């Protein structure tokens, strides 16, 4: 894995890989689990919006991409324009004309901080391939709850499949590095004016950068303390898990 890119070729793919592809001029990335035979299981935010069959504006911007319309569905996936939640798509539909990247696990803190863009790696180690594939296929049949941009998005889904880790507190963001980066950047920007009168511009930039890096690091799933390993079969009882965690916290207090 390089500091600047996790881009890989299709020939390098292995079942159980957490992969992603950038959308809308690198504004965000869509994540999923490659399960072999050219198929990807992923969590979508709305009917067809992550596989090139979404809004008119999406299709207009990416008219040159190999997306499929209702009138011209993918020969492998069929018409997925009305699907949402956890779905299975071919690799071409998942990539939506974008390039292929692999999310990295078990990276060291220095490399994590050096990769300033969130949503590309984590300090947490990955579980064995068979566990990753079991979770992905199980959630394909049973769902992954309601999509939430900050607490339960496509990256959260893929990271859970790879690690089995679930965030127990209801007040923090989920496992997503993209969401953590966005909030870290917002926090650094909002707090910067408070230091403007006492700090030079280079010093202000350094302080803001440091705040961003620290916020990203402490939000990573591999270092947080508000997470626990949860079997995929228990995901249907998330509310009970949160209650148990809250009760345990009260007892410790």
């Amino acid at each position: 894995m390089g500091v600047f890119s996790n881009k890989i070729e299709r020939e390098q793919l292995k079942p159980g890989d957490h992969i992603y592809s950038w959308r809308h001029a690198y504004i965000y990335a869509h994540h999923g689990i490659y399960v072999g035979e050219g198929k990807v299981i992923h969590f979508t935010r709305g009917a067809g919006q992550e596989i090139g069959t979404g809004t008119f504006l999406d299709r207009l911007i990416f008219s040159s991409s190999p997306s499929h319309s209702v009138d011209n569905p993918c020969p492998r996936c069929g018409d997925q324009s009305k699907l949402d939640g956890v779905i299975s798509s071919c690799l071409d539909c998942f990539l939506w004309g974008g390039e292929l990247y692999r999310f990295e696990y078990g990276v060291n803190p220095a490399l994590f901080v050096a990769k300033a863009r969130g949503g590309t790696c984590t300090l947490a180690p990955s579980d064995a391939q068979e566990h990753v594939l079991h979770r992905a296929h199980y959630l394909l049949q049973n769902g992954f709850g309601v999509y939430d941009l900050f607490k339960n998005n496509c990256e959260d889904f893929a990271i859970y499949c790879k690690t089995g880790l679930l965030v127990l507190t209801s007040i923090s963001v989920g496992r997503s590095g993209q969401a953590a980066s966005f909030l870290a950047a917002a926090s650094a920007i909002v707090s910067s004016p408070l230091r403007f009168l006492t700090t030079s511009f280079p010093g202000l930039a350094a302080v803001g950068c440091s705040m961003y890096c620290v916020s990203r690091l402490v939000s990573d799933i591999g270092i947080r303390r508000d997470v626990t390993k949860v079997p995929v079969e228990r995901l249907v009882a998330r509310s009970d898990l949160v209650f148990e965690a809250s009760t345990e916290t009260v007892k410790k207090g």
Side-chain angles (χ1 to χ4, degrees):
M1 179 185 70
V3 173
F4 299 106
S5 176
N6 293 352
K7 183 180 177 182
I8 63 171
E9 301 298 328
R10 295 190 182 207
E11 293 74 20
Q12 298 175 266
L13 273 176
K14 301 184 297 295
D17 278 350
H18 173 174
I19 61 176
Y20 61 96
S21 181
W22 293 104
R23 299 287 200 260
H24 294 241
Y26 293 88
I27 294 176
Y28 72 98
H30 184 52
H31 296 247
I33 299 295
Y34 180 71
V35 295
E37 300 182 350
K39 304 292 286 186
V40 183
I41 294 177
H42 53 121
F43 186 42
T44 62
R45 61 191 171 91
Q49 291 190 52
E50 302 294 3
I51 54 175
T53 58
T55 65
F56 172 76
L57 180 58
D58 290 336
R59 295 194 296 272
L60 181 64
I61 295 174
F62 292 95
S63 59
S64 60
S65 69
S67 59
H68 299 279
S69 65
V70 177
D71 298 326
N72 182 33
C74 172
R76 293 193 63 187
C77 302
D79 178 16
Q80 296 191 321
S81 62
K82 297 181 181 179
L83 298 181
D84 59 11
V86 182
I87 67 174
S88 174
S89 304
C90 71
L91 185 57
D92 286 328
C93 284
F94 172 82
L95 292 176
W96 189 11
E99 296 180 316
L100 174 63
Y101 297 82
R102 180 163 55 205
F103 195 99
E104 298 294 332
Y105 286 80
V107 303
N108 63 63
L111 182 57
F112 179 87
V113 172
K115 293 180 72 66
R117 186 70 184 267
T120 63
C121 62
T122 178
L123 280 68
S126 170
D127 288 337
Q129 180 190 72
E130 60 267 27
H131 298 305
V132 177
L133 294 175
H134 169 66
R135 292 177 189 129
H137 284 291
Y138 187 90
L139 294 174
L140 177 62
Q141 298 299 320
N142 296 276
F144 192 63
V146 178
Y147 190 99
D148 185 284
L149 182 61
F150 291 105
K151 295 185 179 182
N152 202 50
N153 59 38
C154 60
E155 187 184 346
D156 291 314
F157 166 80
I159 291 176
Y160 173 75
C161 288
K162 291 287 286 186
T163 66
L165 295 173
L166 188 70
V167 176
L168 294 179
T169 54
S170 60
I171 59 174
S172 60
V173 296
R175 297 158 293 275
S176 171
Q178 293 185 92
S181 291
F182 175 81
L183 294 176
S187 176
I189 292 172
V190 169
S191 63
S192 291
L194 301 178
R195 297 178 172 85
F196 184 77
L197 296 177
T198 59
T199 310
S200 63
F201 179 77
L204 186 63
V207 170
C209 181
S210 297
M211 289 182 59
Y212 172 75
C213 291
V214 170
S215 296
R216 279 188 58 231
L217 186 62
V218 299
S219 298
D220 183 68
I221 192 73
I223 202 171
R224 290 171 61 164
R225 301 185 63 184
D226 60 341
V227 297
T228 190
K229 204 87 160 182
V230 177
V232 67
E233 292 80 7
R234 290 192 62 200
L235 280 182
V236 294
R238 284 187 179 185
S239 59
D240 294 334
L241 292 174
V242 174
F243 175 76
E244 290 170 9
S246 300
T247 303
E248 184 178 351
T249 300
V250 172
K251 289 180 179 178
K252 288 181 179 179

